[in-house]
Amino acid sequence: MNCVRCNMPLEAGARFCRNCGLPVSLQNNGNAGSVNPSPLAQQVSRNNDAPTIPPMSWQAPDPNATVPSSPSPFLSPTQPVQPNQFPPSGPNWQPAPPQQQAWTPPPSSSSPNYRSQEAVGTMRSGNKARKQAQPKRRRGRGCLISSLVAIVLVVALLVAGRLIVNNLVISQMNQTISDAINNIPAAVSVLPGGTSQTITETQVNNLITNHASASDPVQNVTVHLTSNNMQINFNVYNFSSTITTVPQIQNGKLVATNTTVQGLASLILSSDDITNLINTQINNLQTHIQHTITAVTLENQAIQLTFSSGSTIPGGVPGLP
């Protein structure tokens, strides 16, 4: 069966024409022949259940025009709307499901867009991290420079202080040994050549005057003789220190060997400093007694020296206390 208005086939059980919207009840009665099939005519439905269609002026539809989708729940969003079109009806009609937006997967790690976005994000985070870390780096650099300057100043003060104390200690020890040599009586110079004389530890310490003042760094100088070495004990700013050396004849000359420094003096004096000091004073001793010492023997609490020239005076070294 076709619609008497638009000649569109009618579905079974439909109440309206799906093309022009004419009620099927008007097409089944005896007045169906009087229905004007012209689209200009508008019939008013006698069915109370049908919607009332207001009259409208007819205008030929533009074949190229598109009608925007209607939010009506009776129309499918994908079905184009035509003029004078009413929603289809019937027991088998069901509204079309709403159109779902196609799901777009996120860009993969291998896509160019992902790479560009990752690079932009990395650049922004890197710039932000550099801006945040820049003040800290400046503060850290300033602290590092200040620490280095402080360390350099401390080292400079320690080096300068060591040099000053070193000069004071060496100067005072030179003066103490020089005073002890000057206290040796001149009669020693007349001892005969090849004569050996034994000098005790007590005689050596009696030659040391210890005229140091309370402000001098070196105090209480004493000599201790053993069969292995000679020990010089003293205090540096009230801290005990010890110098050990072994006097020997090398290349025909009496020199100090195996010199060591222990105690606080080791922070101020080196072994070379003491070796040079003792060798200088040995030369001063030989000049003062007018003898060349050709042999030396260490004993417990004594030292035996052999002179190259002079005369013998009974009773040992003359004039020694």
Side-chain angles (χ1 to χ4, degrees):
M1 178 179 177
N2 295 338
C3 178
V4 296
R5 174 183 292 176
C6 63
N7 201 27
M8 177 66 70
L10 297 176
E11 296 181 357
R15 293 186 296 172
F16 299 93
C17 176
R18 65 178 180 177
N19 185 43
C20 64
L22 180 66
V24 177
S25 59
L26 296 180
Q27 303 183 27
N28 295 330
N29 55 22
N31 298 327
S34 62
V35 176
N36 187 6
S38 175
L40 296 177
Q42 298 291 338
Q43 294 290 339
V44 178
S45 175
R46 294 181 180 179
N47 189 357
N48 294 330
D49 295 334
T52 303
I53 302 175
M56 58 182 296
S57 59
W58 181 87
Q59 183 179 0
D62 187 1
N64 296 325
T66 58
V67 180
S69 60
S70 173
S72 173
F74 297 100
L75 299 178
S76 173
T78 59
Q79 182 180 1
V81 179
Q82 297 180 2
N84 299 331
Q85 181 178 359
F86 290 91
S89 60
N92 297 327
W93 177 84
Q94 294 181 355
Q99 182 180 6
Q100 296 181 356
Q101 186 178 2
W103 176 78
T104 303
S108 62
S109 58
S110 59
S111 63
N113 293 334
Y114 180 83
R115 294 291 182 182
S116 60
Q117 293 176 3
E118 183 180 12
V120 172
T122 304
M123 185 181 300
R124 290 179 179 175
S125 60
N127 293 335
K128 184 177 180 181
R130 283 194 294 270
K131 290 180 180 179
Q132 294 177 354
Q134 187 173 4
K136 296 182 179 179
R137 188 183 300 114
R138 291 178 179 176
R139 290 195 297 268
R141 186 180 301 172
C143 294
L144 179 60
I145 293 175
S146 301
S147 301
L148 290 177
V149 171
I151 292 174
V152 170
L153 291 176
V154 171
V155 172
L157 291 175
L158 290 176
V159 172
R162 182 184 182 277
L163 291 176
I164 294 174
V165 177
N166 178 279
N167 293 332
L168 289 175
V169 172
I170 290 179
S171 177
Q172 186 177 353
M173 293 188 69
N174 267 323
Q175 186 63 42
T176 301
I177 298 175
S178 296
D179 292 343
I181 293 174
N182 293 331
N183 289 332
I184 298 175
V188 177
S189 61
V190 298
L191 292 175
T195 302
S196 297
Q197 297 293 331
T198 300
I199 304 173
T200 65
E201 180 181 294
T202 302
Q203 291 174 328
V204 174
N205 287 323
N206 289 336
L207 295 175
I208 301 173
T209 56
N210 285 321
H211 292 313
S213 63
S215 61
D216 292 335
V218 178
Q219 303 286 339
N220 303 324
V221 179
T222 59
V223 175
H224 179 59
L225 299 174
T226 68
S227 60
N228 296 321
N229 55 37
M230 173 188 294
Q231 297 179 3
I232 303 175
N233 301 319
F234 58 98
N235 294 338
V236 177
Y237 294 111
N238 297 325
F239 290 93
S240 299
S241 299
T242 302
I243 296 172
T244 61
T245 186
V246 179
Q248 292 180 351
I249 300 298
Q250 292 183 354
N251 299 325
K253 296 177 60 176
L254 178 62
V255 294
T257 63
N258 300 326
T259 303
T260 61
V261 183
Q262 299 175 355
L264 181 63
S266 62
L267 302 177
I268 304 171
L269 303 173
S270 65
S271 299
D272 292 337
D273 293 335
I274 300 302
T275 299
N276 294 332
L277 184 151
I278 294 176
N279 289 337
T280 300
Q281 293 301 329
I282 289 175
N283 292 332
N284 293 336
L285 171 64
Q286 295 181 119
T287 300
H288 179 76
I289 64 176
Q290 298 179 11
H291 288 288
T292 300
I293 301 174
T294 58
V296 59
T297 303
L298 289 172
E299 301 175 358
N300 287 329
Q301 300 182 351
I303 184 171
Q304 188 180 53
L305 303 176
T306 302
F307 303 116
S308 62
S309 63
S311 59
T312 303
I313 298 179
V317 178
L320 286 180

